[in-house]
Amino acid sequence: MKTPGEKICEVEEYLPGRGTYADEDGGVYAKIVGKEKFNNIERTVSIVPPPGKRIPGINVVGSIVYGRVFQVLNKVALLHLYPYKTARFRLVPPGPIGAIYIGDVRREFVEDLHNEFEVGDWVRAKIKRIVKKFYPQLTTVGKDLGVIKAYCPHDRTPLVRRGAELYCPKCKRKFKRKIAFDYGDPKLPR
Ligand SMILES: [Zn+2]
């Protein structure tokens, strides 16, 4: 099984076919999740997606994803989701963007989403539902979910945790966030 971005071979060995691409250095990589299929007559390799799985990557409700907030609106925070690569596995999100709605931030009522997330925050979230292809709705309800790293909007200093709030050691401002229990020293999957 190959995941997007995973190297398959060199173009000298097999040419990129369906579901693959080649980079400038001549490496052939998977574009989608699936099994590699070598055609020894055409000298091509393609990726065949598993039956019934149209969304590449992890598309299971309940999967953990990592993302960075790029927009905070009144009712929803939008994140760019990133693949997380380790020696043992690759965590590939089901789409490039995830959304956290105001009701899915924490158990308590949230009045202002800007007290929970800001642009640039790194967030660990869980897939709550997938409304349509490439658009997972996320939740940060639970103490293991939420912001894992954030920066001061005034001087970009990494914020440190102080009780339930975040604090900038440089300009001494305080910030509210929905933080994960391991904020600042997040336990990433290994
Ligand atoms: Zn600051």
Side-chain angles (χ1 to χ4, degrees), residues 71-91:
Q71 204 166 13
V72 181
L73 304 167
N74 287 336
K75 291 246 169 11
V76 62
L78 297 174
L79 288 79
H80 285 131
L81 302 179
Y82 291 92
Y84 183 78
K85 191 184 154 202
T86 74
R88 277 171 50 207
F89 68 95
R90 271 162 188 261
L91 201 159

Side-chain angles (χ1 to χ4, degrees), residues 6 8 10-11 28 44 62-63 103 106 115 141 154 159:
E6 199 171 329
I8 307 165
E10 305 289 338
V11 283
V28 180
T44 58
S63 293
R106 54 167 82 233
N115 286 336
V141 174
H154 306 282
L159 300 177

Side-chain angles (χ1 to χ4, degrees), residues 142-189:
K143 71 178 178 71
D144 55 328
L145 303 175
V147 177
I148 51 172
K149 196 153 198 191
Y151 300 87
C152 178
H154 306 282
D155 49 47
R156 307 310 301 162
T157 304
L159 300 177
V160 294
R161 186 181 181 162
R162 230 163 59 168
E165 285 188 324
L166 297 180
Y167 169 77
C168 175
K170 195 171 174 187
C171 70
K172 319 288 182 208
R173 285 180 173 95
K174 286 194 283 187
F175 302 92
K176 288 194 164 97
R177 288 292 200 286
K178 167 40 172 122
I179 49 176
F181 76 97
D182 55 353
Y183 174 89
D185 183 26
K187 311 279 176 287
L188 295 171

Side-chain angles (χ1 to χ4, degrees), residues 107-145:
R107 276 190 193 92
E108 302 83 18
F109 176 72
V110 171
E111 201 171 308
D112 186 355
L113 203 49
H114 289 273
N115 286 336
E116 314 295 329
F117 302 111
E118 275 307 336
V119 170
D121 289 356
W122 285 93
V123 173
R124 180 195 292 124
K126 197 184 269 185
I127 298 176
K128 188 179 176 185
R129 72 176 81 88
I130 295 171
V131 179
K132 51 186 174 178
K133 256 212 289 185
F134 304 129
Y135 195 71
Q137 275 182 25
L138 311 174
T139 171
T140 52
V141 174
K143 71 178 178 71
D144 55 328
L145 303 175

Side-chain angles (χ1 to χ4, degrees), residues 38-100:
F38 297 98
N39 184 324
N40 285 313
I41 297 159
E42 293 176 3
R43 302 301 298 175
T44 58
V45 61
S46 49
I47 295 287
V48 182
K53 263 199 181 168
R54 287 167 60 208
I55 299 170
I58 296 167
N59 60 351
V60 182
V61 169
S63 293
I64 298 289
V65 290
Y66 289 85
R68 196 161 198 197
V69 178
F70 70 91
Q71 204 166 13
V72 181
L73 304 167
N74 287 336
K75 291 246 169 11
V76 62
L78 297 174
L79 288 79
H80 285 131
L81 302 179
Y82 291 92
Y84 183 78
K85 191 184 154 202
T86 74
R88 277 171 50 207
F89 68 95
R90 271 162 188 261
L91 201 159
V92 182
I97 290 172
I100 306 172

